[in-house]
Amino acid sequence: MTRSVDLNADMGEGFGPWTMGDDEGLLDIVTSVNVACGMHAGDWDVMERTFASASARNLGLGAHPGFPDLQGFGRRRIDLAAASIGNLVAYQVGAARGIAAKTGSEIRHVKLHGALANMASEDEALARVCYEAALAVAPEIIVMVMAGTAQQSAAAALGCRVACEIFADRAYTDDATLVDRTEPGAVIRAPQRAARRVVDMIEAGAILSESGKRIPTRIDTVCLHGDTPAAVSMARAVREGLAAAGIGLAPFPGTPL
Amino acid sequence: MTRSVDLNADMGEGFGPWTMGDDEGLLDIVTSVNVACGMHAGDWDVMERTFASASARNLGLGAHPGFPDLQGFGRRRIDLAAASIGNLVAYQVGAARGIAAKTGSEIRHVKLHGALANMASEDEALARVCYEAALAVAPEIIVMVMAGTAQQSAAAALGCRVACEIFADRAYTDDATLVDRTEPGAVIRAPQRAARRVVDMIEAGAILSESGKRIPTRIDTVCLHGDTPAAVSMARAVREGLAAAGIGLAPFPGTPL
Amino acid sequence: MTRSVDLNADMGEGFGPWTMGDDEGLLDIVTSVNVACGMHAGDWDVMERTFASASARNLGLGAHPGFPDLQGFGRRRIDLAAASIGNLVAYQVGAARGIAAKTGSEIRHVKLHGALANMASEDEALARVCYEAALAVAPEIIVMVMAGTAQQSAAAALGCRVACEIFADRAYTDDATLVDRTEPGAVIRAPQRAARRVVDMIEAGAILSESGKRIPTRIDTVCLHGDTPAAVSMARAVREGLAAAGIGLAPFPGTPL
Amino acid sequence: MTRSVDLNADMGEGFGPWTMGDDEGLLDIVTSVNVACGMHAGDWDVMERTFASASARNLGLGAHPGFPDLQGFGRRRIDLAAASIGNLVAYQVGAARGIAAKTGSEIRHVKLHGALANMASEDEALARVCYEAALAVAPEIIVMVMAGTAQQSAAAALGCRVACEIFADRAYTDDATLVDRTEPGAVIRAPQRAARRVVDMIEAGAILSESGKRIPTRIDTVCLHGDTPAAVSMARAVREGLAAAGIGLAPFPGTPL
């Protein structure tokens, strides 16, 4: 039996004249991209360029909705009502589909960004609101969830298409959420260590937390961040580590849980 | 032969806590609505409420994209590159489709707003960029054009579905564009006078300019503005004027030109 | 001895084409105004008009900084770092001083808005960050605080000029904060009842909570809200109630606590 | 007689997570900085950091107001009414003074940005509106003008403190405005060539246009752009070129014209 996994990265995180990360470098490493939708990053032009580049390489295209907070890059919690969050997700998924269509491509998946993702990973009802909104816009869309969290249980309950994601460069708590960025050790910066962890988790079929806890989960995709200077070398190390371990690369199939 | 015409109004022009116009009053008069898409007015929540209200009455739903300028309500010209304008339209049409889908409804037409509409009414290449963008997102969308302008010729050249629009309350120049709002007489405020003009133009099959020029055109829909205090009584007068003249009301069919 | 109190209201809460409340009606009732600074409401033009109108009536002018959230009207909590909040307050107080100067007038006080005000009423350190920022910009500025809360203790510790405020139309908890708007009874809508409460609190020299608790405090100013339809009649009732009770009207002196 | 000139650069052009240019590199080369005020770039945190860094080096601090257009970086013309532009400038100068005060420093000059600067360089009435607004906020502020343009005549007519500026890296038309960025040769990229031009213009006491025209003017400061990758080496070349030609560096005195 051959195992394979998808590699995804956030892209299109510039805005107007400002750029972030090495999108071109990552495009040759990943198999799926999550594109910011204009609220926490990205604008209609950045989105158009990013979808065009990614679809030219036959990558899986994703909408990456976040909070309306450019200055905070969508990483600050905002106390939005759940119904408003549902509308916010529908708006962004629709906008992403609009821009993708303009480039002759289609949105295949949706992944929540930043504080919105973290909140949904802790609150199944909120995750459900987000996913129902995305599915109302695009019934065949694959919901990318943070494996082991309330995001995953929400998607499982909906019976929709799902991709379970682990993070290459972020430490995990014992409830499968990410250690807060402001804490020491939250972000793993050594490429070899990140690569080793990813292979270990895929071989274990489980998330491995900082404390050593083993949280069993399906793993469909690995998130490689693109906004740090060393992102490309990190991504390459993970890709090489997977190859060395005999794990192939392929876009996630999106099978329901 | 029975003549009929559509009545359309801009709606969903609130933002956050701010409201504009009497949407509920107009919903019972018009047959189509043009809903702001979050750039010059409207937000994801206002859009959701507006699409839900309009689709509950079986009205034709339209996306109403404009410039990204809340403070100026999309009425100030911004020197955006044409390619960026295309992306901006695709973004907004996509977003509108997303929110409409969340309410179980569908976008049927697209109409440009404010300064963007005025620029496209003078510049066929720009109108084409806008309409191609909308059609890339939604190939069956009906393009609502200001009758007799470069908007109409752009849509005719594309061969797409079209609705030709006249304005009930705006004076016309001899090239079928609108007299600038800042000029005296640009906005007609007397309901009976507006109603009379609309019937005259439909019976003439032509736009009638301030100077008395007759500009022949197909007329599929009449725009009733919703942002003035007297909007509802104006709209009612036009509707009654049409009935008195034996002109029926029906959503535009969207036949290509 | 003659007692007197100031009446303040939030104003300039429009944005671009959108208006809110009856500023003109309130201007003839209050003695001080708190003007939104462009982040949760207000823009440079609305601010200019509001400062010009208020200074023509010799009212006390205040900056009313809030979170950067037009759609949420600054009423949603945003998880901003304290240092960033300090900068945000300095930015808005500076901008308000700029626009006021353009109208030939001066900012006399500062009052926090919405969610930012609520957070500062619960967190003395955060209140201090806000007030230190305002005082760095304008050392003589009078800090208007929600009487009895952490806002008041922060201002007392700074030794700055202070005005202690009670709300005419909001119910109080036992720790002198406002009952959340989403709870029943949080907003008092009967003008006579609001007027009676204000007189009672001034005569008691104390905030009177929903449960009947008496929280002694200096009372320098009474907040009249301007964003509800009935705001002007509410405001007039309070003003008349004060007169009937022999309590005069005068801008707060800003004496330190 | 010793000649000297000021070197200025735009700074603080990041926004939220996005950076632009090498501010730290430029801070050791220039004598004055122009700091974006949150409308076309910059936010309250970026402003605070930039003012703190620049004032620690005793540089002259400037407010750099622009159009409210982050995506377009203030480089797109927006058809704002003149009165609104005046308010917009007052808002930004006030905000900059607020943030500067928080860092214990003061704004010494104001310089218009991007499309607003270009419009004001062509339209003396518009330039006057901008400068009157800035002077209403800060009567002692030094107005930095594009030498030889309508900006300069507006400032001369006002009798205010002035600094006349030439650009090191931009080609000039025969009416002393900048060749449009979209035209070939508009931006000079060779550091030695830029340095040579600056020395030539200072020695000539004139702007030298592309066509070879000599436009006499006082020259108080030289603009070094900071948003291109090669900005620091360009800036260093100009500084060295000035030293080699015996021209000293000093902040502009701001003498009226």
PDB file of all heavy atoms in Angstrom, chain D residues 101-134:
ATOM      1  N   ALA D 101       3.632  63.035  19.461  1.00  0.00           N
ATOM      2  CA  ALA D 101       3.616  63.466  20.863  1.00  0.00           C
ATOM      3  C   ALA D 101       3.762  62.261  21.789  1.00  0.00           C
ATOM      4  O   ALA D 101       4.446  62.327  22.814  1.00  0.00           O
ATOM      5  CB  ALA D 101       2.308  64.202  21.168  1.00  0.00           C
ATOM      6  N   LYS D 102       3.139  61.149  21.421  1.00  0.00           N
ATOM      7  CA  LYS D 102       3.245  59.954  22.258  1.00  0.00           C
ATOM      8  C   LYS D 102       4.690  59.469  22.353  1.00  0.00           C
ATOM      9  O   LYS D 102       5.081  58.834  23.338  1.00  0.00           O
ATOM     10  CB  LYS D 102       2.351  58.852  21.701  1.00  0.00           C
ATOM     11  CG  LYS D 102       2.232  57.659  22.608  1.00  0.00           C
ATOM     12  CD  LYS D 102       0.991  56.861  22.325  1.00  0.00           C
ATOM     13  CE  LYS D 102       0.918  55.659  23.238  1.00  0.00           C
ATOM     14  NZ  LYS D 102       2.022  54.707  23.022  1.00  0.00           N
ATOM     15  N   THR D 103       5.501  59.756  21.331  1.00  0.00           N
ATOM     16  CA  THR D 103       6.913  59.368  21.384  1.00  0.00           C
ATOM     17  C   THR D 103       7.771  60.512  21.900  1.00  0.00           C
ATOM     18  O   THR D 103       9.003  60.425  21.843  1.00  0.00           O
ATOM     19  CB  THR D 103       7.429  58.953  19.979  1.00  0.00           C
ATOM     20  OG1 THR D 103       7.468  60.131  19.143  1.00  0.00           O
ATOM     21  CG2 THR D 103       6.531  57.915  19.337  1.00  0.00           C
ATOM     22  N   GLY D 104       7.132  61.575  22.378  1.00  0.00           N
ATOM     23  CA  GLY D 104       7.896  62.695  22.933  1.00  0.00           C
ATOM     24  C   GLY D 104       8.525  63.572  21.872  1.00  0.00           C
ATOM     25  O   GLY D 104       9.443  64.340  22.152  1.00  0.00           O
ATOM     26  N   SER D 105       8.027  63.489  20.654  1.00  0.00           N
ATOM     27  CA  SER D 105       8.632  64.282  19.583  1.00  0.00           C
ATOM     28  C   SER D 105       7.579  65.157  18.908  1.00  0.00           C
ATOM     29  O   SER D 105       6.421  65.141  19.295  1.00  0.00           O
ATOM     30  CB  SER D 105       9.291  63.354  18.557  1.00  0.00           C
ATOM     31  OG  SER D 105       8.350  62.419  18.065  1.00  0.00           O
ATOM     32  N   GLU D 106       8.019  65.950  17.950  1.00  0.00           N
ATOM     33  CA  GLU D 106       7.117  66.905  17.308  1.00  0.00           C
ATOM     34  C   GLU D 106       7.234  66.854  15.797  1.00  0.00           C
ATOM     35  O   GLU D 106       8.311  66.659  15.252  1.00  0.00           O
ATOM     36  CB  GLU D 106       7.447  68.338  17.772  1.00  0.00           C
ATOM     37  CG  GLU D 106       6.882  68.647  19.130  1.00  0.00           C
ATOM     38  CD  GLU D 106       7.180  70.078  19.545  1.00  0.00           C
ATOM     39  OE1 GLU D 106       7.239  70.957  18.665  1.00  0.00           O
ATOM     40  OE2 GLU D 106       7.378  70.297  20.766  1.00  0.00           O
ATOM     41  N   ILE D 107       6.117  67.089  15.140  1.00  0.00           N
ATOM     42  CA  ILE D 107       6.104  67.181  13.676  1.00  0.00           C
ATOM     43  C   ILE D 107       6.644  68.544  13.268  1.00  0.00           C
ATOM     44  O   ILE D 107       6.191  69.571  13.767  1.00  0.00           O
ATOM     45  CB  ILE D 107       4.657  67.020  13.159  1.00  0.00           C
ATOM     46  CG1 ILE D 107       4.104  65.654  13.539  1.00  0.00           C
ATOM     47  CG2 ILE D 107       4.593  67.253  11.648  1.00  0.00           C
ATOM     48  CD1 ILE D 107       4.825  64.495  12.943  1.00  0.00           C
ATOM     49  N   ARG D 108       7.615  68.525  12.381  1.00  0.00           N
ATOM     50  CA  ARG D 108       8.254  69.770  11.945  1.00  0.00           C
ATOM     51  C   ARG D 108       7.783  70.203  10.561  1.00  0.00           C
ATOM     52  O   ARG D 108       7.742  71.383  10.257  1.00  0.00           O
ATOM     53  CB  ARG D 108       9.774  69.541  11.921  1.00  0.00           C
ATOM     54  CG  ARG D 108      10.592  70.787  11.755  1.00  0.00           C
ATOM     55  CD  ARG D 108      12.067  70.519  12.086  1.00  0.00           C
ATOM     56  NE  ARG D 108      12.801  71.741  11.877  1.00  0.00           N
ATOM     57  CZ  ARG D 108      13.480  72.020  10.748  1.00  0.00           C
ATOM     58  NH1 ARG D 108      13.564  71.140   9.783  1.00  0.00           N
ATOM     59  NH2 ARG D 108      14.092  73.188  10.631  1.00  0.00           N
ATOM     60  N   HIS D 109       7.441  69.218   9.715  1.00  0.00           N
ATOM     61  CA  HIS D 109       7.032  69.586   8.353  1.00  0.00           C
ATOM     62  C   HIS D 109       5.916  68.679   7.860  1.00  0.00           C
ATOM     63  O   HIS D 109       5.581  67.666   8.477  1.00  0.00           O
ATOM     64  CB  HIS D 109       8.223  69.547   7.395  1.00  0.00           C
ATOM     65  CG  HIS D 109       8.741  68.169   7.088  1.00  0.00           C
ATOM     66  ND1 HIS D 109       9.633  67.493   7.895  1.00  0.00           N
ATOM     67  CD2 HIS D 109       8.475  67.318   6.047  1.00  0.00           C
ATOM     68  CE1 HIS D 109       9.918  66.322   7.365  1.00  0.00           C
ATOM     69  NE2 HIS D 109       9.216  66.177   6.259  1.00  0.00           N
ATOM     70  N   VAL D 110       5.329  69.086   6.737  1.00  0.00           N
ATOM     71  CA  VAL D 110       4.299  68.281   6.084  1.00  0.00           C
ATOM     72  C   VAL D 110       4.640  68.196   4.601  1.00  0.00           C
ATOM     73  O   VAL D 110       5.117  69.164   4.013  1.00  0.00           O
ATOM     74  CB  VAL D 110       2.896  68.899   6.287  1.00  0.00           C
ATOM     75  CG1 VAL D 110       2.793  70.295   5.693  1.00  0.00           C
ATOM     76  CG2 VAL D 110       1.807  67.998   5.701  1.00  0.00           C
ATOM     77  N   LYS D 111       4.433  67.009   4.045  1.00  0.00           N
ATOM     78  CA  LYS D 111       4.693  66.804   2.610  1.00  0.00           C
ATOM     79  C   LYS D 111       3.571  65.950   2.058  1.00  0.00           C
ATOM     80  O   LYS D 111       3.245  64.906   2.643  1.00  0.00           O
ATOM     81  CB  LYS D 111       6.043  66.092   2.438  1.00  0.00           C
ATOM     82  CG  LYS D 111       6.318  65.613   1.017  1.00  0.00           C
ATOM     83  CD  LYS D 111       7.685  64.909   0.929  1.00  0.00           C
ATOM     84  CE  LYS D 111       7.800  64.196  -0.415  1.00  0.00           C
ATOM     85  NZ  LYS D 111       9.151  63.572  -0.569  1.00  0.00           N
ATOM     86  N   LEU D 112       2.966  66.366   0.975  1.00  0.00           N
ATOM     87  CA  LEU D 112       1.872  65.590   0.375  1.00  0.00           C
ATOM     88  C   LEU D 112       2.419  64.357  -0.333  1.00  0.00           C
ATOM     89  O   LEU D 112       3.525  64.369  -0.857  1.00  0.00           O
ATOM     90  CB  LEU D 112       1.097  66.466  -0.612  1.00  0.00           C
ATOM     91  CG  LEU D 112       0.529  67.767  -0.037  1.00  0.00           C
ATOM     92  CD1 LEU D 112      -0.173  68.554  -1.129  1.00  0.00           C
ATOM     93  CD2 LEU D 112      -0.436  67.482   1.114  1.00  0.00           C
ATOM     94  N   HIS D 113       1.575  63.313  -0.378  1.00  0.00           N
ATOM     95  CA  HIS D 113       2.016  62.035  -0.962  1.00  0.00           C
ATOM     96  C   HIS D 113       1.327  61.717  -2.285  1.00  0.00           C
ATOM     97  O   HIS D 113       0.129  61.975  -2.462  1.00  0.00           O
ATOM     98  CB  HIS D 113       1.707  60.896   0.019  1.00  0.00           C
ATOM     99  CG  HIS D 113       1.925  59.539  -0.575  1.00  0.00           C
ATOM    100  ND1 HIS D 113       3.159  58.936  -0.653  1.00  0.00           N
ATOM    101  CD2 HIS D 113       1.055  58.660  -1.160  1.00  0.00           C
ATOM    102  CE1 HIS D 113       3.046  57.760  -1.242  1.00  0.00           C
ATOM    103  NE2 HIS D 113       1.777  57.563  -1.561  1.00  0.00           N
ATOM    104  N   GLY D 114       2.055  61.086  -3.160  1.00  0.00           N
ATOM    105  CA  GLY D 114       1.508  60.379  -4.314  1.00  0.00           C
ATOM    106  C   GLY D 114       0.595  61.195  -5.210  1.00  0.00           C
ATOM    107  O   GLY D 114       0.930  62.293  -5.671  1.00  0.00           O
ATOM    108  N   ALA D 115      -0.582  60.635  -5.480  1.00  0.00           N
ATOM    109  CA  ALA D 115      -1.512  61.292  -6.404  1.00  0.00           C
ATOM    110  C   ALA D 115      -1.952  62.647  -5.856  1.00  0.00           C
ATOM    111  O   ALA D 115      -2.138  63.603  -6.616  1.00  0.00           O
ATOM    112  CB  ALA D 115      -2.728  60.406  -6.645  1.00  0.00           C
ATOM    113  N   LEU D 116      -2.097  62.748  -4.569  1.00  0.00           N
ATOM    114  CA  LEU D 116      -2.482  64.035  -3.965  1.00  0.00           C
ATOM    115  C   LEU D 116      -1.388  65.069  -4.222  1.00  0.00           C
ATOM    116  O   LEU D 116      -1.664  66.219  -4.579  1.00  0.00           O
ATOM    117  CB  LEU D 116      -2.716  63.850  -2.461  1.00  0.00           C
ATOM    118  CG  LEU D 116      -3.052  65.101  -1.660  1.00  0.00           C
ATOM    119  CD1 LEU D 116      -4.281  65.800  -2.210  1.00  0.00           C
ATOM    120  CD2 LEU D 116      -3.269  64.745  -0.185  1.00  0.00           C
ATOM    121  N   ALA D 117      -0.128  64.661  -4.064  1.00  0.00           N
ATOM    122  CA  ALA D 117       0.991  65.569  -4.330  1.00  0.00           C
ATOM    123  C   ALA D 117       1.010  65.976  -5.797  1.00  0.00           C
ATOM    124  O   ALA D 117       1.196  67.150  -6.121  1.00  0.00           O
ATOM    125  CB  ALA D 117       2.309  64.900  -3.943  1.00  0.00           C
ATOM    126  N   ASN D 118       0.788  65.006  -6.669  1.00  0.00           N
ATOM    127  CA  ASN D 118       0.818  65.335  -8.094  1.00  0.00           C
ATOM    128  C   ASN D 118      -0.304  66.295  -8.458  1.00  0.00           C
ATOM    129  O   ASN D 118      -0.101  67.254  -9.208  1.00  0.00           O
ATOM    130  CB  ASN D 118       0.726  64.053  -8.938  1.00  0.00           C
ATOM    131  CG  ASN D 118       1.988  63.216  -8.805  1.00  0.00           C
ATOM    132  OD1 ASN D 118       3.067  63.734  -8.496  1.00  0.00           O
ATOM    133  ND2 ASN D 118       1.874  61.921  -9.014  1.00  0.00           N
ATOM    134  N   MET D 119      -1.490  66.049  -7.922  1.00  0.00           N
ATOM    135  CA  MET D 119      -2.609  66.946  -8.213  1.00  0.00           C
ATOM    136  C   MET D 119      -2.310  68.359  -7.690  1.00  0.00           C
ATOM    137  O   MET D 119      -2.572  69.353  -8.365  1.00  0.00           O
ATOM    138  CB  MET D 119      -3.897  66.391  -7.601  1.00  0.00           C
ATOM    139  CG  MET D 119      -4.399  65.165  -8.359  1.00  0.00           C
ATOM    140  SD  MET D 119      -5.598  64.144  -7.424  1.00  0.00           S
ATOM    141  CE  MET D 119      -7.010  65.235  -7.350  1.00  0.00           C
ATOM    142  N   ALA D 120      -1.750  68.429  -6.487  1.00  0.00           N
ATOM    143  CA  ALA D 120      -1.449  69.738  -5.907  1.00  0.00           C
ATOM    144  C   ALA D 120      -0.306  70.427  -6.647  1.00  0.00           C
ATOM    145  O   ALA D 120      -0.193  71.655  -6.630  1.00  0.00           O
ATOM    146  CB  ALA D 120      -1.112  69.590  -4.421  1.00  0.00           C
ATOM    147  N   SER D 121       0.537  69.652  -7.312  1.00  0.00           N
ATOM    148  CA  SER D 121       1.647  70.279  -8.056  1.00  0.00           C
ATOM    149  C   SER D 121       1.141  70.904  -9.350  1.00  0.00           C
ATOM    150  O   SER D 121       1.840  71.693  -9.976  1.00  0.00           O
ATOM    151  CB  SER D 121       2.743  69.245  -8.353  1.00  0.00           C
ATOM    152  OG  SER D 121       2.325  68.358  -9.373  1.00  0.00           O
ATOM    153  N   GLU D 122      -0.077  70.528  -9.730  1.00  0.00           N
ATOM    154  CA  GLU D 122      -0.669  71.055 -10.975  1.00  0.00           C
ATOM    155  C   GLU D 122      -1.750  72.096 -10.700  1.00  0.00           C
ATOM    156  O   GLU D 122      -2.239  72.736 -11.625  1.00  0.00           O
ATOM    157  CB  GLU D 122      -1.314  69.915 -11.769  1.00  0.00           C
ATOM    158  CG  GLU D 122      -0.343  68.814 -12.165  1.00  0.00           C
ATOM    159  CD  GLU D 122      -1.076  67.525 -12.535  1.00  0.00           C
ATOM    160  OE1 GLU D 122      -2.329  67.540 -12.586  1.00  0.00           O
ATOM    161  OE2 GLU D 122      -0.391  66.511 -12.744  1.00  0.00           O
ATOM    162  N   ASP D 123      -2.170  72.238  -9.452  1.00  0.00           N
ATOM    163  CA  ASP D 123      -3.377  73.007  -9.139  1.00  0.00           C
ATOM    164  C   ASP D 123      -3.117  73.823  -7.876  1.00  0.00           C
ATOM    165  O   ASP D 123      -3.205  73.317  -6.761  1.00  0.00           O
ATOM    166  CB  ASP D 123      -4.519  71.990  -8.932  1.00  0.00           C
ATOM    167  CG  ASP D 123      -5.844  72.638  -8.554  1.00  0.00           C
ATOM    168  OD1 ASP D 123      -5.870  73.834  -8.213  1.00  0.00           O
ATOM    169  OD2 ASP D 123      -6.857  71.914  -8.566  1.00  0.00           O
ATOM    170  N   GLU D 124      -2.801  75.104  -8.067  1.00  0.00           N
ATOM    171  CA  GLU D 124      -2.405  75.917  -6.920  1.00  0.00           C
ATOM    172  C   GLU D 124      -3.523  76.032  -5.891  1.00  0.00           C
ATOM    173  O   GLU D 124      -3.267  76.037  -4.678  1.00  0.00           O
ATOM    174  CB  GLU D 124      -1.974  77.316  -7.389  1.00  0.00           C
ATOM    175  CG  GLU D 124      -1.410  78.143  -6.243  1.00  0.00           C
ATOM    176  CD  GLU D 124      -0.885  79.507  -6.686  1.00  0.00           C
ATOM    177  OE1 GLU D 124      -0.321  79.617  -7.804  1.00  0.00           O
ATOM    178  OE2 GLU D 124      -1.041  80.469  -5.910  1.00  0.00           O
ATOM    179  N   ALA D 125      -4.773  76.104  -6.356  1.00  0.00           N
ATOM    180  CA  ALA D 125      -5.889  76.225  -5.413  1.00  0.00           C
ATOM    181  C   ALA D 125      -5.974  74.988  -4.521  1.00  0.00           C
ATOM    182  O   ALA D 125      -6.216  75.086  -3.314  1.00  0.00           O
ATOM    183  CB  ALA D 125      -7.204  76.417  -6.170  1.00  0.00           C
ATOM    184  N   LEU D 126      -5.762  73.829  -5.118  1.00  0.00           N
ATOM    185  CA  LEU D 126      -5.806  72.597  -4.327  1.00  0.00           C
ATOM    186  C   LEU D 126      -4.632  72.552  -3.344  1.00  0.00           C
ATOM    187  O   LEU D 126      -4.789  72.179  -2.175  1.00  0.00           O
ATOM    188  CB  LEU D 126      -5.770  71.368  -5.245  1.00  0.00           C
ATOM    189  CG  LEU D 126      -5.800  70.030  -4.514  1.00  0.00           C
ATOM    190  CD1 LEU D 126      -7.106  69.861  -3.728  1.00  0.00           C
ATOM    191  CD2 LEU D 126      -5.647  68.870  -5.503  1.00  0.00           C
ATOM    192  N   ALA D 127      -3.454  72.948  -3.818  1.00  0.00           N
ATOM    193  CA  ALA D 127      -2.296  72.983  -2.927  1.00  0.00           C
ATOM    194  C   ALA D 127      -2.583  73.908  -1.739  1.00  0.00           C
ATOM    195  O   ALA D 127      -2.280  73.583  -0.588  1.00  0.00           O
ATOM    196  CB  ALA D 127      -1.059  73.450  -3.689  1.00  0.00           C
ATOM    197  N   ARG D 128      -3.192  75.033  -2.038  1.00  0.00           N
ATOM    198  CA  ARG D 128      -3.492  76.004  -0.973  1.00  0.00           C
ATOM    199  C   ARG D 128      -4.448  75.394   0.060  1.00  0.00           C
ATOM    200  O   ARG D 128      -4.260  75.572   1.270  1.00  0.00           O
ATOM    201  CB  ARG D 128      -4.105  77.269  -1.586  1.00  0.00           C
ATOM    202  CG  ARG D 128      -4.327  78.354  -0.560  1.00  0.00           C
ATOM    203  CD  ARG D 128      -4.944  79.607  -1.191  1.00  0.00           C
ATOM    204  NE  ARG D 128      -5.117  80.635  -0.190  1.00  0.00           N
ATOM    205  CZ  ARG D 128      -4.312  81.681  -0.032  1.00  0.00           C
ATOM    206  NH1 ARG D 128      -3.301  81.850  -0.829  1.00  0.00           N
ATOM    207  NH2 ARG D 128      -4.528  82.554   0.947  1.00  0.00           N
ATOM    208  N   VAL D 129      -5.471  74.697  -0.426  1.00  0.00           N
ATOM    209  CA  VAL D 129      -6.403  74.034   0.493  1.00  0.00           C
ATOM    210  C   VAL D 129      -5.653  73.082   1.431  1.00  0.00           C
ATOM    211  O   VAL D 129      -5.886  73.056   2.644  1.00  0.00           O
ATOM    212  CB  VAL D 129      -7.482  73.249  -0.307  1.00  0.00           C
ATOM    213  CG1 VAL D 129      -8.205  72.243   0.583  1.00  0.00           C
ATOM    214  CG2 VAL D 129      -8.467  74.221  -0.946  1.00  0.00           C
ATOM    215  N   CYS D 130      -4.744  72.326   0.862  1.00  0.00           N
ATOM    216  CA  CYS D 130      -3.981  71.365   1.682  1.00  0.00           C
ATOM    217  C   CYS D 130      -3.113  72.090   2.707  1.00  0.00           C
ATOM    218  O   CYS D 130      -3.054  71.694   3.881  1.00  0.00           O
ATOM    219  CB  CYS D 130      -3.102  70.501   0.783  1.00  0.00           C
ATOM    220  SG  CYS D 130      -4.022  69.429  -0.348  1.00  0.00           S
ATOM    221  N   TYR D 131      -2.425  73.130   2.259  1.00  0.00           N
ATOM    222  CA  TYR D 131      -1.487  73.795   3.161  1.00  0.00           C
ATOM    223  C   TYR D 131      -2.223  74.612   4.218  1.00  0.00           C
ATOM    224  O   TYR D 131      -1.801  74.679   5.373  1.00  0.00           O
ATOM    225  CB  TYR D 131      -0.515  74.667   2.371  1.00  0.00           C
ATOM    226  CG  TYR D 131       0.317  73.872   1.382  1.00  0.00           C
ATOM    227  CD1 TYR D 131       0.834  74.448   0.230  1.00  0.00           C
ATOM    228  CD2 TYR D 131       0.571  72.506   1.590  1.00  0.00           C
ATOM    229  CE1 TYR D 131       1.595  73.714  -0.677  1.00  0.00           C
ATOM    230  CE2 TYR D 131       1.313  71.760   0.689  1.00  0.00           C
ATOM    231  CZ  TYR D 131       1.818  72.365  -0.443  1.00  0.00           C
ATOM    232  OH  TYR D 131       2.549  71.634  -1.342  1.00  0.00           O
ATOM    233  N   GLU D 132      -3.310  75.239   3.838  1.00  0.00           N
ATOM    234  CA  GLU D 132      -4.095  75.966   4.836  1.00  0.00           C
ATOM    235  C   GLU D 132      -4.588  75.001   5.917  1.00  0.00           C
ATOM    236  O   GLU D 132      -4.617  75.342   7.106  1.00  0.00           O
ATOM    237  CB  GLU D 132      -5.283  76.671   4.182  1.00  0.00           C
ATOM    238  CG  GLU D 132      -4.864  77.931   3.447  1.00  0.00           C
ATOM    239  CD  GLU D 132      -6.032  78.669   2.816  1.00  0.00           C
ATOM    240  OE1 GLU D 132      -7.016  78.001   2.427  1.00  0.00           O
ATOM    241  OE2 GLU D 132      -5.951  79.901   2.687  1.00  0.00           O
ATOM    242  N   ALA D 133      -4.979  73.821   5.507  1.00  0.00           N
ATOM    243  CA  ALA D 133      -5.437  72.835   6.493  1.00  0.00           C
ATOM    244  C   ALA D 133      -4.307  72.465   7.442  1.00  0.00           C
ATOM    245  O   ALA D 133      -4.486  72.428   8.666  1.00  0.00           O
ATOM    246  CB  ALA D 133      -5.973  71.590   5.781  1.00  0.00           C
ATOM    247  N   ALA D 134      -3.140  72.200   6.881  1.00  0.00           N
ATOM    248  CA  ALA D 134      -2.003  71.819   7.733  1.00  0.00           C
ATOM    249  C   ALA D 134      -1.623  72.966   8.664  1.00  0.00           C
ATOM    250  O   ALA D 134      -1.317  72.749   9.850  1.00  0.00           O
ATOM    251  CB  ALA D 134      -0.818  71.418   6.861  1.00  0.00           C
TER     252      ALA D 134
END
